[in-house]
Amino acid sequence: MKPDGPVSNTTLPGDPPGGRRAVTVWGIGVSVYFVAVIFRTSLGVAGLDAADRFHVNASALSTFSILQLLVYAGMQIPVGLLVDRLGTKKVLGIGAVLFTAGQLGFAFSPSYGTALASRALLGCGDALTFISVLRLGTRWFPARRGPMVAQFAGLAGMAGNLVSTLVLARLLHGIGWTAAFAGSALAGVVVLVLLLLFLKDHPEGHEPEPFPHQGAAYVRRQIAASWREPGTRLGLWVHFTTQFPAMVFLLLWGLPFLVEAQGLSRATAGELLTLVVLSNMVVGLVYGQVVARHHGARLPLALGTVGATALLWAATLAYPGGRAPVWLLVVLCAVLGACGPASMIGFDFARPANPPERQGTASGITNMGGFVASMTTLFAIGVLLDTTGDDYRVAFSVVFVLQAVGVSQILRLRTRAARRERERLIASRVSSVHVPV
């Protein structure tokens, strides 16, 4: 990674050194998250096939993703607590076992009910990965690398999405449902073995200080202390407002919208989904560098992404005749690619607001935001499509409602979060100057 700016040669007291060893260990953790995202987004390229296979309508189809995200979102705070208490390796290992079992179960599911159970199991394992990878990054890299490390983790997730779009989609239509999903489950076994053999929670000499755990009292204290920080809540709402438009598009409704509402072929629709992923990867690198060098750019980048997304969706849905030209769909998908990197900015508000022993809990709270928004939107779109006879204009208008809610909360919390962050920065500088002898 390149230096982050003029302050890049400074290190905070107790900061881990980073280096090649850190990249290797962190890379193993990221590979687990990479596979989890492949499994998570596999339904996005198989939505129409799943509807035919299990003979379900739009609402029932959306239940697959809603249940998966419900499990994921509901587990974020418990996962944060588990990571703070058990460490990264144990939590990632459990996650790899669960999401691999879920993907394998989905491959052989004979009915809608068993397929739902498999997606829930997959969502449970998936929920254990991202917060663990963020925690692993804070244990192995200096704090100044935080924005770039988080964006690279998100980049790996998008690479997993790309594999789903390009590889799994072809396997699905080439070798069939069962072989494609069962074969992909082997990737989960591979990363589990790598994790067990090579991953370590922290570098030598940088063991976290022992922190007393007192059962339910400890849990309540961790959650309450994290939630009291305005930066944690601001991070949650930034994540809530920025992530969901692209996630809903990639996870389930993008392909049906492009094929059924816009009249594109599956091949062309697949290319546009791929564009979202590629745009995400490019924008992620840019946003990571900008935030690392200019901390004050966090909120303008997040709000700018929300505004651009709303504008492009409005132009697409309001286009005369109901079908937007291909160039507008291309621009829409390119802008949707910025949603994932913008959501990562939420963690850059929560991270400096909390001490190391609360990083997992605070990240879990933040990570709930986008998945709650995605789950709500997935459900609303499915219900509105069934209610209106597949009127995608009406169904996708729910995006604007959730964006308005999120922006109002961001504007409400931004001043308090900025003031609290300045106070922490001044306090840390004072304590570093007055070191006791």
Side-chain angles (χ1 to χ4, degrees):
M1 297 179 188
K2 296 181 179 180
D4 296 329
V7 297
S8 63
N9 292 326
T10 63
T11 57
L12 300 177
D15 257 4
R20 187 174 301 174
R21 172 67 170 159
V23 172
T24 301
V25 173
W26 180 75
I28 294 171
V30 168
S31 70
V32 179
Y33 175 58
F34 169 76
V35 173
V37 174
I38 294 176
F39 294 177
R40 178 202 303 170
T41 58
S42 58
L43 188 61
V45 296
L48 297 177
D49 300 88
D52 293 337
R53 181 180 178 86
F54 300 113
H55 309 292
V56 294
N57 60 14
S59 296
L61 181 61
S62 67
T63 303
F64 278 122
S65 296
I66 291 167
L67 178 61
Q68 185 178 332
L69 292 182
L70 178 64
V71 172
Y72 189 106
M75 287 187 64
Q76 287 310 291
I77 292 178
V79 168
L81 292 164
L82 281 174
V83 172
D84 285 338
R85 184 164 189 172
L86 300 179
T88 299
K89 185 170 184 175
K90 290 180 181 179
V91 177
L92 270 180
I94 296 169
V97 171
L98 292 177
F99 67 61
T100 301
Q103 185 78 339
L104 196 61
F106 197 58
F108 294 100
S109 292
S111 66
Y112 177 66
T114 54
L116 273 179
S118 296
R119 295 306 286 187
L121 186 62
L122 193 158
C124 186
D126 182 18
L128 299 174
T129 59
F130 187 64
I131 299 303
S132 298
V133 170
L134 287 181
R135 174 61 176 266
L136 192 67
T138 63
R139 290 300 187 191
W140 280 90
F141 293 98
R144 69 181 186 275
R145 302 291 189 186
M148 280 304 299
V149 169
Q151 288 290 353
F152 273 116
L155 192 65
M158 280 295 102
N161 203 327
L162 192 61
V163 170
S164 286
T165 305
L166 296 180
V167 179
L168 191 59
R170 294 182 181 179
L171 288 175
L172 186 65
H173 298 115
I175 61 178
W177 179 284
T178 300
F181 280 101
S184 66
L186 293 175
V189 177
V190 172
V191 295
L192 178 61
V193 172
L194 290 174
L195 181 155
L196 294 175
L197 291 178
F198 302 112
L199 191 136
K200 293 183 180 297
D201 283 340
H202 47 73
E204 293 182 9
H206 290 271
E207 294 81 2
E209 294 183 9
F211 193 77
H213 303 293
Q214 302 172 355
Y218 162 76
V219 171
R220 288 194 299 270
R221 189 165 55 249
Q222 285 284 89
I223 296 173
S226 298
W227 184 254
R228 277 196 299 269
E229 291 292 343
T232 304
R233 283 174 280 144
L234 179 59
L236 179 147
W237 285 108
V238 168
H239 200 268
F240 176 101
T241 314
T242 53
Q243 187 199 49
F244 78 93
M247 174 159 282
V248 167
F249 198 77
L250 290 171
L251 200 59
L252 183 60
W253 291 121
L255 188 68
F257 170 76
L258 294 172
V259 173
E260 296 179 352
Q262 299 300 314
L264 302 181
S265 66
R266 282 198 179 206
T268 303
E271 291 172 357
L272 287 176
L273 293 179
T274 303
L275 175 61
V276 177
V277 177
L278 292 175
S279 172
N280 185 298
M281 298 171 77
V282 173
V283 174
L285 293 174
V286 175
Y287 277 19
Q289 288 285 357
V290 171
V291 172
R293 295 172 183 271
H294 308 286
H295 226 44
R298 291 173 298 172
L299 208 55
L301 282 178
L303 292 176
T305 302
V306 174
T309 304
L311 179 64
L312 266 298
W313 262 122
T316 301
L317 296 178
Y319 200 85
R323 291 189 174 181
V326 173
W327 68 264
L328 182 55
L329 296 175
V330 168
V331 176
L332 170 67
C333 290
V335 171
L336 285 175
C339 292
S343 72
M344 300 301 297
I345 295 173
F347 298 101
D348 291 316
F349 286 106
R351 189 185 303 110
N354 293 272
E357 64 270 16
R358 288 207 309 264
Q359 287 297 318
T361 306
S363 295
I365 292 172
T366 300
N367 207 32
M368 283 181 62
F371 289 93
V372 169
S374 297
M375 180 177 58
T376 303
T377 308
L378 283 167
F379 175 74
I381 288 176
V383 170
L384 288 171
L385 285 175
D386 285 338
T387 303
T388 62
D390 292 338
D391 189 331
Y392 279 89
R393 281 185 169 182
V394 174
F396 272 90
S397 295
V398 74
V399 169
F400 306 120
V401 177
L402 270 76
Q403 285 183 323
V405 171
V407 168
S408 68
Q409 293 300 313
I410 291 172
L411 296 178
R412 183 178 68 86
L413 289 164
R414 60 177 179 170
T415 303
R416 274 182 283 173
R419 182 172 61 248
R420 179 68 171 148
E421 195 169 296
R422 284 195 301 269
E423 291 171 355
R424 281 186 173 274
L425 181 60
I426 293 171
S428 67
R429 286 175 176 173
V430 171
S431 63
S432 65
V433 171
H434 300 288
V435 179
V437 179

